[in-house]
Amino acid sequence: GVSGERGVLTTRALAAGDVILRVPTPKAINVGPMSVTASEAAVKLLREQHKRRGTRLPYVRSLPTHCHALDTWPEPAMAALPAPLRQASAERRQWTRRVYEESVRGKERLFGGHAVTLEEFTHATCLVSSRTLGVANSNGDTVKFLIPFLDLVNHDRAKGSANQVRLAAKPGEEERGPAFIELVAGAGLEAGAEVFISYGDGQLLTPDETLSHYGFVEDFAPSLCTLDRSETELQVRTKRNGCAETVGA
């Protein structure tokens, strides 16, 4: 990317509808439906990482050893955040520890004989939270995947919202199901342009959410600060002094 840390650039000009990236579906990791939490999905990632062989090993062992999502921050840094963010993070950390105790600790046989520590499990949870992408299947249900190369694409709500991640079959073999996961251009791109997607699986993310799940705060309309989600509605809370003060307070 333009930051030099990660990103995907085009090697040639692309038109709207062109495939930017195509990854064989077996190379990706299906971590489950959207209802699966990052901690629950992390169990599957760790099992893949501790296999002795497999086509996904080069990918899972290349995942970064650092992760900047909020739940990995040290306590002194957490103390600088607003109370709602601290509380939400504390609840997620508590859930991560519970999943670890019930599904990971003492179960070395699930992880190739490796005794996974809570620190390792927290890191895997962070990777899942920050790198999974939701892809709609043929039934219209959204499934979460860890996808090689596609998880290097950076977020930009304006530039990336038109680009689409989809499942695709080989031509003439549709009955066999999806063979690829594709990123399709929603608009023309020049050669050498950085490719973006919009994180959040089509939902509008606030600074609170991008900080919590991805470790960054993007520029945002100052009247929108947090999203309160229930099962039936999406409510937007406003703050008089804007989101920047709310996140950094």
Side-chain angles (χ1 to χ4, degrees):
V2 294
S3 67
E5 293 186 3
R6 59 175 259 187
V8 173
L9 308 179
T10 61
T11 58
R12 61 178 177 84
L14 296 171
D18 285 350
V19 175
I20 303 170
L21 277 173
R22 179 180 288 124
V23 179
T25 304
K27 299 294 184 182
I29 302 172
N30 180 338
V31 297
M34 295 300 290
S35 58
V36 171
T37 67
S39 296
E40 292 167 323
V43 177
K44 191 164 188 176
L45 172 58
L46 283 166
R47 293 188 68 173
E48 290 285 345
Q49 288 180 320
H50 291 289
K51 287 181 177 178
R52 290 186 172 87
R53 63 181 67 87
T55 60
R56 300 187 186 104
L57 275 183
Y59 167 57
V60 296
R61 291 182 178 176
S62 72
L63 291 170
T65 57
H66 61 277
C67 189
H68 300 302
L70 194 60
D71 297 350
T72 65
W73 287 21
E75 289 301 327
M78 294 295 296
L81 295 171
L85 275 179
R86 292 199 306 271
Q87 178 62 29
S89 178
E91 291 173 358
R92 287 194 301 271
R93 291 183 190 211
Q94 185 178 29
W95 174 249
T96 296
R97 180 179 288 274
R98 177 179 172 181
V99 175
Y100 173 77
E101 293 292 340
E102 294 179 355
S103 304
V104 178
R105 186 178 181 183
K107 295 180 171 59
E108 290 84 355
R109 61 181 178 80
L110 298 179
F111 308 101
H114 177 71
V116 177
T117 66
L118 178 60
E119 182 180 8
E120 288 177 277
F121 185 65
T122 300
H123 175 70
T125 298
C126 181
L127 289 176
V128 170
S129 176
S130 62
R131 302 179 83 89
T132 52
L133 292 172
V135 185
N137 62 21
S138 58
N139 298 323
D141 300 320
T142 301
V143 180
K144 293 193 288 190
F145 285 90
L146 283 161
I147 310 168
F149 299 109
L150 248 172
D151 65 359
L152 297 176
V153 179
N154 285 316
H155 167 77
D156 189 295
R157 186 162 36 91
K159 297 178 181 178
S161 59
N163 295 331
Q164 177 190 7
V165 180
R166 70 185 184 190
L167 293 169
K170 289 183 179 179
E173 298 183 9
E174 287 78 9
E175 72 283 352
R176 295 189 178 186
F180 303 104
I181 300 174
E182 298 177 337
L183 176 61
V184 181
L189 292 168
E190 297 180 353
E194 181 166 7
V195 177
F196 296 98
I197 57 175
S198 181
Y199 295 174
D201 302 316
Q203 299 188 43
L204 182 65
L205 296 177
T206 65
D208 290 10
E209 291 173 314
T210 56
L211 182 64
S212 295
H213 298 294
Y214 305 106
F216 67 84
V217 178
E218 84 171 313
D219 294 334
F220 204 81
S223 62
L224 302 179
C225 293
T226 57
L227 294 181
D228 293 327
R229 289 197 173 91
S230 67
E231 292 183 358
T232 58
E233 63 183 347
L234 186 64
Q235 298 176 324
V236 179
R237 288 209 310 264
T238 61
K239 297 285 185 179
R240 183 181 63 184
N241 294 323
C243 294
E245 180 172 333
T246 303
V247 172

